[in-house]
Amino acid sequence: MKYISTRGDRTERRFCEILLEGLAPDGGLYLPTHYPKVDGATLTRWRGLGYAELAFEILSRYIDDIPPADLKALVDKTYTVAAFGDPAIVPLKPVRPAGEGHGALMLEALSNGPTLAFKDMAMQLLGNLFEYELARRGETLNILGATSGDTGSAAEYAMRGKRGIAVFMLSPLGRMSPFQQAQMFSLQDANIHNLAVEGVFDDCQDIVKAVSADLDFKRRHKIGTVNSINWARLLAQVVYYFAGYFQATKTNDERVSFTVPSGNFGNVCAGHVARMMGLPIERLIVATNENDVLDEFFRTGAYRVRGSADTHETSSPSMDISKASNFERFVFDLLGRDTARTADLFGTQVGQGGFTLDAASFARVAGYGFRSGRSSHADRLATIRRVAAESGLIVDPHTADGLKVASEQPGPETMIVLETALPAKFASTLVEALGQEPPRPAGLEGIEALPKRVQTVPASVQVVKDYVAAHAPA
Ligand SMILES: *Cc1c(COP(=O)(O)O)cnc(C)c1O
């Protein structure tokens, strides 16, 4: 399998060449030259596999420059009961049985990894892939990132203790939830560096951009990232669409739909890839919060990126985006992989505020299964209450956005809503909805009291550069 850019760079690269990369050199995103098709006999065989075996089968179709035995070992080491708490790794939880006019409604639990959000599903694998590839090359990497919560902790728990890797994670001082701060700052691993920046999330992101734009510094200190446009992260997420489908169905004649709480379009783009491979997915429903740039697109064909003044801070903060960084991948496929048009839309027009698709292209969206909806703070609270009363399940605010949007679009097929975080991460919204603290997984009861390892820094590019230079391994 080879990889190409959405914007016309036709240099064909193999998986390990793009593993440690973000954007392609022309500013586009990497995609495989084609999606390997999976036939009915293969689906039947995969139905009986455990999660790690299934992951190996799917990843093997996209990775041909890691020896199969090594890839198998990496996957086996990643998807364990010890890390994910359940033999199914991503078990389904029934919410409501099938009834008049609607199929069964289920949650797929993607949030039982070490940081209680679905980002662990991909990031845990990425940590092992990075360590493997860096050792093979005899190289080291310093990961620099900015986080408002879920991404930073998932990256740190994936990279902690890994040989050849250090993490420098910027977060806005005092702005993350106490639980999220405790999760990150209690890590005592020498290769994990928490920098609490005196500023807001945008300041953190601007510093990361400025440091990365200094190409000399970047090369000298081997700076890399793990953001959601990384192809390996997206690929790892394809697996749980298959795993959810197999648990929800008895034969390959059945179709299911997925509703996906969405921000940067990484999670639901993995669903698109699974569907392109031939998984019998009826609909992929994109659920947004008040930051509804994607819902607007799927309703109207207009992709209107928001300025920071129009980007709302909501109670499902991991979906608070101004533009969706993985969206270009879907539009590339929608336009028949026309690199010139994709480059014009995303290289030029998005920079000027956005674009409106021509009617013929927009008419094809439904054929890819996509639908959408949006949710508000009041919707989240009402959904958390309703689901608790009806099924006894306590859900987090992002998953509530998904459940709300799914309930508005019933169909005869089974609907699987992806559970993207556990409620323990977002206690204040849960208290607002239910009047009580959310349950906490065993072992995390007292984490706020653990000693913290964090360095407070001013919002200064130079101070961050100096810190990285002083602490990066040689
Ligand atoms: C990151 C995140 C999302 C959004 O996922 P995308 O891949 O950016 O669409 C949704 N919910 C939670 C809890 C997250 O951490």
Side-chain angles (χ1 to χ4, degrees):
M1 178 63 79
K2 300 288 198 304
Y3 293 88
I4 51 169
S5 164
T6 50
R7 296 197 190 168
D9 180 336
R10 308 305 291 185
T11 315
E12 297 199 341
R13 297 171 171 87
R14 298 176 81 184
F15 178 82
C16 288
E17 292 174 78
I18 65 164
L19 171 63
L20 304 168
E21 303 294 323
L23 294 175
D26 63 358
L29 303 184
Y30 288 115
L31 273 179
T33 54
H34 64 283
Y35 299 112
K37 288 278 184 284
V38 177
D39 61 17
T42 307
L43 282 179
T44 301
R45 187 164 59 78
W46 285 2
R47 201 171 259 291
L49 300 180
Y51 194 89
E53 294 170 307
L54 178 63
F56 172 71
E57 291 288 336
I58 294 171
L59 295 174
S60 302
R61 281 167 170 67
Y62 291 91
I63 303 175
D64 54 16
D65 51 350
I66 295 178
D70 290 1
L71 183 60
K72 181 85 174 57
L74 291 169
V75 167
D76 285 346
K77 180 163 111 174
T78 303
Y79 297 110
T80 63
V81 179
F84 291 94
D86 189 287
I89 306 296
V90 290
L92 293 185
K93 300 191 254 190
V95 181
R96 199 183 57 201
E100 194 69 40
H102 64 84
L105 178 65
M106 319 207 184
L107 280 182
E108 183 170 356
L110 306 180
S111 311
N112 295 324
T115 74
L116 315 186
F118 87 97
K119 291 186 173 69
D120 290 329
M121 295 302 307
M123 208 72 93
Q124 287 285 310
L125 180 68
L126 205 67
N128 287 325
L129 284 169
F130 273 28
E131 183 178 52
Y132 173 86
E133 180 60 15
L134 287 166
R136 200 158 70 158
R137 296 185 193 176
E139 289 177 11
T140 60
L141 185 70
N142 294 302
I143 294 168
L144 178 67
T147 189
S148 54
D150 291 342
T151 307
S153 56
E156 292 188 352
Y157 280 74
M159 304 297 170
R160 61 188 295 201
K162 293 277 185 287
R163 285 181 308 267
I165 304 176
V167 177
F168 297 86
M169 192 56 67
L170 278 51
S171 60
L173 178 67
R175 303 244 172 184
M176 290 190 297
S177 78
F179 183 86
Q180 287 177 316
Q181 293 186 42
Q183 261 188 330
M184 286 178 55
F185 302 164
S186 64
L187 288 180
Q188 299 298 325
D189 307 73
N191 72 329
I192 302 297
H193 302 274
N194 288 303
L195 299 179
V197 175
E198 293 169 337
V200 295
F201 175 63
D202 281 342
D203 297 316
C204 301
Q205 218 163 15
D206 289 345
I207 293 172
V208 170
K209 279 189 196 146
V211 175
S212 303
D214 181 343
L215 294 182
D216 180 50
F217 184 88
K218 198 177 163 197
R219 208 169 307 118
R220 212 157 11 104
H221 295 288
K222 305 183 176 69
I223 303 292
T225 55
V226 288
N227 45 31
S228 80
I229 56 168
N230 179 286
W231 166 253
R233 271 181 74 178
L234 204 144
L235 177 58
Q237 293 170 353
V238 173
V239 178
Y240 54 69
Y241 285 87
F242 281 84
Y245 174 78
F246 291 137
Q247 291 178 76
T249 60
K250 293 208 169 58
T251 74
N252 306 333
D253 298 331
E254 294 173 61
R255 298 178 75 79
V256 304
S257 291
F258 288 90
T259 301
V260 186
S262 294
N264 276 317
F265 204 76
N267 198 351
V268 74
C269 194
H272 164 66
V273 172
R275 195 172 184 276
M276 296 297 277
M277 292 174 72
L279 189 67
I281 295 175
E282 184 67 27
R283 293 174 294 159
L284 287 165
I285 301 180
V286 177
T288 76
N289 63 18
E290 292 88 334
N291 296 293
D292 57 358
V293 47
L294 288 170
D295 180 45
E296 180 177 355
F297 171 80
F298 284 107
R299 280 186 297 103
T300 68
Y303 182 63
R304 225 166 31 86
V305 304
R306 313 290 198 249
S308 42
D310 296 319
T311 307
H312 311 284
E313 272 190 42
T314 75
S315 48
S316 45
S318 298
M319 293 157 59
D320 292 349
I321 50 119
S322 52
K323 58 181 189 316
S325 51
N326 276 289
F327 186 51
E328 179 171 344
R329 288 190 160 112
F330 168 66
V331 173
F332 177 65
D333 283 341
L334 180 72
L335 298 179
R337 300 202 145 199
D338 183 331
T339 54
R341 281 185 74 192
T342 308
D344 175 49
L345 294 182
F346 286 89
T348 306
Q349 297 198 36
V350 162
Q352 297 159 358
F355 59 79
T356 300
L357 272 192
D358 64 283
S361 300
F362 183 57
R364 288 205 304 276
V365 167
Y368 284 82
F370 276 97
R371 305 285 188 281
S372 71
R374 92 194 268 284
S375 170
S376 67
H377 180 67
D379 293 327
R380 280 188 277 289
L381 297 182
T383 304
I384 291 169
R385 282 188 208 109
R386 178 172 57 76
V387 171
E390 287 174 4
S391 68
L393 293 170
I394 314 268
V395 298
D396 103 290
H398 307 78
T399 308
D401 288 331
L403 284 161
K404 185 269 181 181
V405 169
S407 72
E408 293 170 337
Q409 310 201 24
E413 76 283 9
T414 293
M415 172 64 73
I416 300 173
V417 176
L418 299 186
E419 179 186 59
T420 55
L422 290 192
K425 289 193 101 162
F426 303 98
S428 64
T429 303
L430 268 289
V431 170
E432 191 180 345
L434 298 175
Q436 61 189 54
E437 291 281 328
R440 248 190 213 194
L444 298 175
E445 290 84 4
I447 64 166
E448 286 92 338
L450 294 174
K452 293 189 169 54
R453 207 166 150 269
V454 55
Q455 180 73 39
T456 300
V457 294
S460 150
V461 175
Q462 194 55 50
V463 170
V464 170
K465 277 185 175 172
D466 291 346
Y467 188 92
V468 171
H471 293 85

